[in-house]
Amino acid sequence: MHDSILTYAKSRYLWVALALGAGALAAYLWHDPGGPPNGGTWLGYTLGTIGAALIVWLMWFGVRKRSYAGGIGTLRGWLSAHVYLGTTLILIVLLHAGFQLHWNLHTFTFVLMLGVIFSGFFGVYAYLRYPTLMTRNRESATRDAMLEEIAEIDQNALALADGIDPKIHALVLRSIQNTRLGGGAWTQLRARDGSDLALASLHEAMAAREQRKEMATSEMPTMFAMVDFLAGRATDKQGEAMRKLIDLISRKKALATRVARDIQFQALMEVWLYLHVPLSFALLAALIGHIVSSFFYW
Amino acid sequence: MNERFKIAIIGSGPGGLSAAARAAERGVPHVLLEAEDHLSNTIYRYQKGKFVMDEPGILPLRAPVPFKAGSREEILTAWDEAAARLKINVRLKHEVASIKPLAGGGFEIKCSNGQTLAAEFVVLGIGLQGNIRKLGCPGEDLPFVQYQLDDPDEYEGEVIAVVGAGDAAIENAVALAKQNNVIIINRKDEFARAKKANEAAILKAIEDGTIECYYNSAPERVDALSVGRKKGRMILNTANGKAQILLDRVIARLGATAPRGFVEACGVVFPSKDPAAVPAISSQYESNVKGLYIVGALGGYPLIKQAMNQGYEVVEYILGHKVEPADEPLLKAKFAAMPGFRNVEEALARVQKNVRLLAHITPLQLREFMLDSDIRTPKPGETIFRRNDYTNTFFSIVEGEVHILIDEQRNQRVTLKRGEFFGEMSLISGRRRSATVLAGANCVLIETPRRSMNRLINSVEAVKREIDQVFILRAVQSRFAAEVPVEQLAEVVANARLERFKAGDVLFHEGEIADCLHLVRSGSLTISRNIGGKDVVLSYVPAGNYVGEMALMGESRRSATARAAIATETVRLDGESFKKLVNRVPVLRLKLQSEYRQRAAANLAMQAAPEGGDIISFLISQGAGEATDILLIDESLCVRCDNCEKACAETHGGTSRLDREAGPTFASVHVPTSCRHCEHPHCMKDCPPDAIHRAPNGEVFIADNCIGCGNCERNCPYGVIHMAAKPPKKPGLIQWLLFGRGSGPGEAPLEPKAKQAATGKKAVKCDMCKGIPGGPACVRSCPTGAAIRISPEEFPAYAQSRR
């Protein structure tokens, strides 16, 4: 019922990809071009055509992903095929070129392709690894719920601090402001406009990382200061309130760390696309150049 | 001496107002009594600017008062104008306390403000909302004491006392507490009456100190203050003596008194205790109390236009005039398909004569029933419905016969003749059709939708009894008829009876001595065993299946516990007579034994992996037991791309009907907020235009005649319905890509609010993409296969696959 893109339909597309790769390899070994193997032989042209068609088809995934109402098959099947056939492309293109690499446009196209494919590999890794980590990190709370709780803790902490000492109040206030400053992207997050969510999340991940750094420097002193205060001149009642306050701020710190993690995981699952997709368009351009220039060899 | 009128109309809603207007037009001495200080309180209480629709569109309006679809304000203004123009004798703030028949004919009407008047005829049009319960202490009508809250953000920095402990009070208190100082006053010492989420919210707010709570307290009086900064004060009786609160505002949310008690006190009889039951009224809207007429929602006609037409007609009837009912042409069109049709009257009589089930109902009920129903005249051999269809309409045979295919391979058929009915199984269980039905010769059928049939069952006891009897007989036959001759089943049928269980109730415990078996008629069960001190769920039993027969055959103790997963009804078959049957028919024993072996093997597999049982328990606790098709997301695969939500919005006019992130998760199985297409959909319960239907493949969907009342949104326990306006149309891919027109695929609409005001909102929910080939877009657009849709029958297999 639930299975990953790699095991989809009993790994049907793994076998398709293996068959394609094995076929190409067999043809390459069997074929005798009467010189060094290259893209100019009939086999070279055949493999090149297959490769180019594959690239166009792989890029078509972006369109398929957005054709919500129709399209052949399930998106999951497409992705599974996308991953396996995309990987086979390395072999097919190498065979197409007869392993000839030089400082020219053709090799540049190849390097771009490798860039696309390897960024895709990271994507596969991210898709397999981070969802579970993300679920575990969230502990069944939603991100909004965690953010709300943080805001609430801030309120309560301020109220508590107010009753203790103006100094402590200022301290807590500053710590809250610092957290806000670092996590200014939170507000953006809550809006979730969806149009460039990925980009926003990237900003957020960076912001969150900064925020974590800041928490390491700003929250700890808050706590130390309070512990000092506790040990020093506080009355019993104030001590009680202080202990509560420390609990609250520790809880908030844990929550903030979790939110930052959450944002980070999401960003990791999306960041590679910012390489993968532009590179693939660059590849398409280079590919057109490669094909056009090939005709001048004639 | 009391004032005397010919007609007293109680309640100034659509029905009452229209009746009063007609009486005024005719120059009949009349009075219109309204409890509130304005007309039409139900519509008055709609939120500001709400768009009111005028379904059913085909029904013509016949009333001296205008009505067409429009905003609440337009409609109320038009009605106020009409009331003034026609010089209707309106008495506002006249809440009727009692209606008593007088010895010499006519009625004496007592109002709670002390006035008494007399009338020859009474028209009750008080609707179903009931009167709002007031504080019940001095000062309850002060200007700062209110019984409704439209917009909590309207108030800021005030001290507000919220009185009540129900959902409305809690929701108001929590919303107001954001910008105000809120005190909630609870007569009891807990908030047990409220929904769980609301209870948790209020207790948390009280603990956090954002809301102050007085438990075990009741207001003694409210006073207006002329000095000081606060408008008033409330004196409270608390457990520890009196308390005084200085405040700016009192919001009392004490619910409403259901009108039924009042109506019954007038002498009107309700046919059953079911809250959905409506009093029986004649075709001229007269109740069992002579001279007392009932129109509108109270009589079972919840739509504005219906009520207005009835208001007009009832006055004509009282004056002794004959009017052709407004629905006459509609009925004529319906019956036209019937062979030998002459006129509506005669056709109705024929239906009632031929169909025994419908002989029990009043002419008016029959008209209404026929308006909702369709006449079908299928050719011989035509399929009426197929086995495993998800339809739930009910059929009565007016003429001819139909054949039920009990066993398709062996072509085993049962023939039903004129006067009988079929389709009751799916109606009751909410599940797929259990057999295919083919039309026979000269077949004339009445096909009735689920809602009308359920209303009839709830209002007419005799109908319910007859259907239940036939249900038991057929349920037993369809299960055992393949092995046992029908005559031999008679004893089992005679000793069978219906039983009801609430969610979580136990049918029988593991280890108990068996004395019966159950056929699940509606709802579903879980079967569990106690393993190592823990209840482990082994399987899920949907409606239409039997439990408990094994313990009857040999081993006499129950091997497992059967528990209702949701509200469940079963047919309980007596153990003794069943044992006799099994002893008499050896084939039956063999068949039961082979079934038992299969079941035991499946249970054993589950027992080997008790974590699987935890997943089932989790799903059942999320209400998945009443689902027919539920969306589950595997969070270890979900990359949170929200492509499912985008796909949903893209394929459904820009509004996603699914919230991926919300909802609980257990062992990576996430139940998102999305429709699960319940067996007995809660949303269908109270839909005035009957716009919610189930498609043949099981999709529960909302049709275009939705009036946007929001009942379904409130009734859905899973929060999967919301009200939305149609967003602007999106440009094509190329237009968007090259010219940047509008928003792109998967993006939110640019100005969702711009066009909302004009059209009005309608309810939207998941329809499982029923119009789209290839199935639900959410599942098809999930790139990693994290989203799947399954039915509860698949839970055990699913749970095992997740080890």
Side-chain angles (χ1 to χ4, degrees), chain B residues 357-634:
Chain B
L357 191 69
L358 300 179
H360 307 294
I361 68 179
T362 66
L364 193 67
Q365 277 169 329
L366 184 65
R367 282 192 95 92
E368 180 68 13
F369 181 82
M370 286 311 306
L371 266 185
D372 291 344
S373 308
D374 278 318
I375 300 274
R376 290 187 51 182
T377 49
K379 293 189 191 70
E382 200 179 311
T383 308
I384 295 162
F385 55 71
R386 274 177 210 292
R387 190 182 146 82
N388 287 343
D389 271 1
Y390 245 126
T391 48
N392 47 23
T393 49
F394 180 92
F395 292 86
S396 319
I397 308 174
V398 184
E399 301 282 355
E401 55 183 35
V402 298
H403 306 292
I404 301 178
L405 281 180
I406 291 178
D407 191 327
E408 287 186 45
Q409 269 106 43
R410 286 189 283 173
N411 203 15
Q412 199 175 7
R413 304 171 167 219
V414 172
T415 299
L416 297 182
K417 296 226 158 42
R418 184 165 97 179
E420 292 188 272
F421 56 84
F422 59 96
E424 78 288 350
M425 293 258 191
S426 289
L427 177 78
I428 290 167
S429 70
R431 300 212 135 239
R432 297 166 188 273
R433 296 291 191 189
S434 57
T436 301
V437 178
L438 303 176
N442 310 322
C443 194
V444 178
L445 305 173
I446 303 173
E447 180 177 7
T448 313
R450 174 182 187 272
R451 181 179 75 155
S452 317
M453 203 58 219
N454 278 343
R455 192 199 287 157
L456 190 65
I457 290 174
N458 288 328
S459 335
V460 185
E461 184 60 33
V463 172
K464 179 175 165 52
R465 208 178 323 120
E466 190 158 343
I467 291 181
D468 281 346
Q469 271 169 7
V470 171
F471 181 93
I472 292 174
L473 178 74
R474 289 190 186 158
V476 173
Q477 280 182 359
S478 67
R479 177 69 165 87
F480 302 114
E483 289 83 19
V484 189
V486 175
E487 317 81 68
Q488 298 211 22
L489 292 171
E491 190 186 339
V492 176
V493 171
N495 289 328
R497 63 166 198 265
L498 296 177
E499 285 194 356
R500 275 167 188 277
F501 300 91
K502 289 199 290 291
D505 279 2
V506 171
L507 277 74
F508 51 76
H509 285 283
E510 187 178 344
E512 267 178 11
I513 293 174
D515 60 347
C516 65
L517 69 157
H518 291 270
L519 160 69
V520 185
R521 174 169 124 115
S522 68
S524 54
L525 310 174
T526 56
I527 303 296
S528 57
R529 288 193 68 174
N530 193 314
I531 298 170
K534 194 170 154 263
D535 229 22
V536 175
V537 176
L538 300 178
S539 63
Y540 167 89
V541 183
N545 290 310
Y546 281 80
V547 290
E549 72 264 42
M550 284 327 296
L552 281 176
M553 303 176 36
E555 343 157 26
S556 60
R557 286 183 188 273
R558 302 290 193 193
S559 59
T561 302
R563 189 175 272 123
I566 48 169
T568 298
E569 249 190 337
T570 68
V571 178
R572 179 186 186 278
L573 302 183
D574 178 58
E576 284 307 310
S577 40
F578 186 72
K579 268 188 208 161
K580 267 193 234 162
L581 179 72
V582 174
N583 289 335
R584 240 182 286 150
V585 190
V587 198
L588 183 60
R589 173 181 288 270
L590 287 178
K591 189 179 171 207
L592 290 176
Q593 271 167 350
S594 84
E595 281 174 10
Y596 176 69
R597 271 195 294 277
Q598 277 175 14
R599 218 188 278 178
N603 284 359
L604 221 61
M606 260 335 263
Q607 247 164 292
E611 322 83 69
D614 289 347
I615 292 183
I616 300 184
S617 306
F618 162 70
L619 290 173
I620 297 290
S621 73
Q622 296 310 316
E626 62 178 327
T628 62
D629 189 294
I630 186 168
L631 179 65
L632 298 181
I633 290 180
D634 184 345

Side-chain angles (χ1 to χ4, degrees), chain B residues 731-747:
Chain B
L733 185 71
I734 301 293
Q735 280 215 326
W736 165 71
L737 205 63
L738 298 183
F739 307 110
R741 292 221 179 112
S743 48
E747 290 178 356

Side-chain angles (χ1 to χ4, degrees), chain B residues 263-312:
Chain B
V263 178
E264 280 178 328
C266 299
V268 176
V269 177
F270 281 71
S272 80
K273 282 207 178 107
D274 189 284
V278 292
I281 43 180
S282 75
S283 61
Q284 305 202 327
Y285 312 115
E286 192 168 10
S287 71
N288 62 305
V289 179
K290 221 164 164 40
L292 182 73
Y293 293 76
I294 293 177
V295 293
L298 182 63
Y301 303 88
L303 295 176
I304 294 176
K305 210 196 275 178
Q306 284 175 331
M308 292 181 77
N309 285 352
Q310 291 184 349
Y312 171 96

Side-chain angles (χ1 to χ4, degrees), chain A residues 10-11 21 31 41 49 67 92 102 104 120 164 191 196 221 237 261:
Chain A
K10 296 192 181 135
S11 308
H31 179 59
T41 64
T49 310
S67 23
I92 289 178
H102 304 286
N104 55 20
I164 300 173
D196 54 353
K237 215 172 180 183
R261 271 263 173 73

